[in-house]
Amino acid sequence: MGFLNPNIGQIFPDSDSKWKRAASSVFIREAGTLMDEAGYEIGNLDATLILQRPKISPHKDTVRSNLSKLLGADPSVVNLRAKTHENVKSLGENRSIAADTVILLMKK
């Protein structure tokens, strides 16, 4: 399977019991392995968490460090921030959490 061609459903099909109830770290680690095998490394990762609670500030450094370790990236290229949804819809009503992430991949 070529790294740049498949979509997330092809890499982690919901029909495969291997992925059922898997921790998010399993998916991140697997994505990092596929990236590495394809000859890429992270140039920059920018993640925004959108949630009302809990407040991310006290956990920001830990989350950033964990992402760096799971992906084999230098912590200096990993940026993490959070914002609320101002009590609007499910995100603001504390019924869901969203994440927007942009990653620049660079050929090794």
Side-chain angles (χ1 to χ4, degrees):
M1 179 184 326
F3 178 67
L4 296 177
N5 297 323
N7 64 40
I8 194 166
Q10 292 169 310
I11 298 171
F12 306 115
D14 59 7
S15 59
D16 186 343
S17 61
K18 172 182 178 180
W19 307 116
K20 188 172 179 95
R21 300 192 199 299
S24 58
S25 60
V26 172
F27 296 98
I28 294 171
R29 192 175 293 113
E30 181 69 16
T33 298
L34 292 171
M35 174 189 68
D36 186 56
E37 289 173 354
Y40 289 89
E41 63 185 359
I42 293 177
N44 183 325
L45 182 150
D46 187 49
T48 302
L49 302 177
I50 308 163
L51 66 164
Q52 208 61 35
R53 286 188 310 261
K55 295 297 182 195
I56 295 301
S57 296
H59 312 287
K60 183 177 178 178
D61 290 339
T62 301
V63 172
R64 197 168 146 256
S65 175
N66 287 342
L67 278 173
S68 298
K69 287 176 188 170
L70 288 167
L71 291 166
D74 187 291
S76 68
V77 302
V78 176
N79 182 46
L80 177 68
R81 60 184 154 208
K83 67 180 191 173
T84 66
H85 211 253
E86 303 301 327
N87 296 312
V88 178
K89 298 190 179 181
S90 66
L91 288 168
E93 294 169 352
N94 207 39
R95 293 185 291 127
S96 61
I97 294 173
D100 292 326
T101 305
V102 176
I103 302 174
L104 171 66
L105 296 179
M106 300 172 54
K107 200 72 165 152
K108 289 183 183 180

